[in-house]
Amino acid sequence: MSCVLAPSKRNLEMESPFKPDILKGKVALLTGGGSGIGFEISTQFGKHGASIAIMGRRKNVIHDAVSVLQSLGIPDFQAVGFEGDVRKPEDARRVVEATVEKFGKLDILVNAAAGNFLVPAEDLSPNGFKTVMDIDSVGTFTMCHEALKYLKKGGSGNDSSTGGFILNISATLHYTAYWYQIHVSAAKAAVDALTRNLALEWGTDYDIRVNGIAPGPIGDTTGMSKLLPREITIGGAEYMPLYKVGEKWDIAMAAIYLASVAGKYINGTTLVVDGGLWLTQPRHLPKEAVKQLSRTVEKRSRAEPTGIPASKL
């Protein structure tokens, strides 16, 4: 039986379409930047000239991530990791300040830290709901709040004539509804609202651009393994269309576009990167059956009375 989600066939060695120095001189702090989508963004930012600070809760993950960045040719003076929890304001403040102390400024903040798991609403405890809200939405705001004084135009250590850039990693779950994801749907809806409101306020007052990316299903990520484990991906082809799985590279390229000068006039937008998946619906009838049905219905409608009363004249 076919899997519901089919892997993409992109050449894994595909080169970036951007110049390697497009982010040269920029300093980026990434929460959740040590694994999954966050790490791919860290990697590509580093490959395109940015200095990278990675923040995460697990010290070993952060250490390994920085080591991998260095093995990919990103100099050790260009990449650093800091242990910290976005749910704790003191950690957020410490990591932001440590990043500025290390690199002298802060230009880009990427909020990629997130929590997720499958659970029916009736089995989700208020504490479980709160935990995801705290990581995804409250943690995103906390990081933005602590980074403001460095990101704003003329901010501490910022000698640029413009403000910095904030990128919030969201999702598409809340655009309609999604089974067993009420906690994440609520959290990401809050993230999208935060993105728009900060874009309005901080774009106007501080020349800071704030945008988001809403990834679709991305292969080889923790989120994918949790939301579509092998046990439930087999056997869905009878009632769901076959979708392609995106790659972390796709999200990272979108992030570079938004963070670079190419995206200088984009503010308050959450870019959906899912191949159009969120627009789709299950195909209840095969295409050929629809064609036959359409012909039958059309023929019948022509033969039946129109329903217009006959004239009495």
Side-chain angles (χ1 to χ4, degrees), residues 26-305:
K26 300 294 185 181
V27 174
L29 168 59
L30 302 95
T31 71
S35 61
I37 290 172
F39 179 66
E40 182 67 14
I41 297 175
S42 299
T43 301
Q44 296 298 337
F45 274 19
K47 286 185 174 181
H48 288 80
S51 295
I52 305 301
I54 294 174
M55 176 181 179
R57 287 179 293 166
R58 295 174 293 174
K59 186 176 181 179
N60 62 313
V61 172
I62 297 301
H63 178 270
D64 291 345
V66 173
S67 296
V68 172
L69 289 178
Q70 293 171 358
S71 71
L72 294 174
I74 299 170
D76 55 0
F77 63 80
Q78 196 180 326
V80 65
F82 298 111
E83 186 178 1
D85 190 333
V86 297
R87 293 173 293 182
K88 300 177 180 178
E90 62 272 20
D91 281 12
R93 186 176 307 112
R94 171 178 52 80
V95 172
V96 168
E97 291 177 350
T99 299
V100 175
E101 182 178 351
K102 168 70 175 179
F103 297 115
K105 62 172 183 171
L106 178 63
D107 301 294
I108 301 169
L109 171 65
V110 178
N111 291 299
N116 199 356
F117 47 90
L118 285 171
V119 59
E122 64 268 27
D123 295 334
L124 176 63
S125 70
N127 187 61
F129 184 90
K130 181 178 182 297
T131 296
V132 173
M133 291 294 293
D134 283 347
I135 296 172
D136 289 35
S137 50
V138 179
T140 292
F141 177 76
T142 299
M143 293 302 301
C144 292
H145 191 268
E146 294 302 328
L148 173 60
K149 67 179 180 179
Y150 300 106
L151 291 173
K152 66 183 181 180
K153 183 177 179 178
S156 179
N158 189 341
D159 57 1
S160 174
S161 60
T162 62
F165 174 67
I166 296 173
L167 178 63
N168 299 323
I169 303 301
S170 184
T172 62
L173 307 174
H174 54 289
Y175 292 177
T176 52
Y178 203 85
W179 291 98
Y180 316 129
Q181 290 284 276
I182 190 172
H183 47 322
V184 181
S185 294
K188 294 306 188 182
V191 169
D192 284 0
L194 187 154
T195 296
R196 291 189 295 269
N197 280 271
L198 289 186
L200 173 65
E201 293 191 35
W202 290 2
T204 302
D205 294 341
Y206 304 118
D207 204 16
I208 296 173
R209 290 189 303 114
V210 187
N211 288 305
I213 293 177
I218 304 299
D220 192 25
T221 61
T222 301
M224 187 74 167
S225 63
K226 285 184 177 181
L227 301 183
L228 286 169
R230 289 189 300 272
E231 290 82 357
I232 66 172
T233 58
I234 303 300
E238 301 92 351
Y239 57 88
M240 290 185 69
L242 295 174
Y243 300 134
K244 289 182 179 179
V245 175
E247 300 174 10
K248 292 175 285 189
W249 184 92
D250 299 314
I251 309 303
M253 292 300 107
I256 291 174
Y257 166 63
L258 291 172
S260 71
V261 67
K264 65 183 180 63
Y265 199 51
I266 302 174
N267 189 36
T269 293
T270 296
L271 178 62
V272 177
V273 185
D274 76 338
L277 176 61
W278 82 274
L279 300 170
T280 62
Q281 296 292 331
R283 192 191 304 238
H284 298 294
L285 289 172
K287 187 184 296 184
E288 291 305 316
V290 172
K291 290 180 180 179
Q292 181 61 43
L293 181 63
S294 178
R295 288 192 291 266
T296 301
V297 172
E298 180 65 20
K299 184 177 180 180
R300 184 171 63 230
S301 68
R302 291 178 180 178
E304 290 179 348

Side-chain angles (χ1 to χ4, degrees), residues 14-35:
M14 184 173 178
E15 295 182 359
S16 166
F18 299 102
K19 294 180 179 180
D21 62 348
I22 195 170
L23 297 178
K24 184 177 181 180
K26 300 294 185 181
V27 174
L29 168 59
L30 302 95
T31 71
S35 61

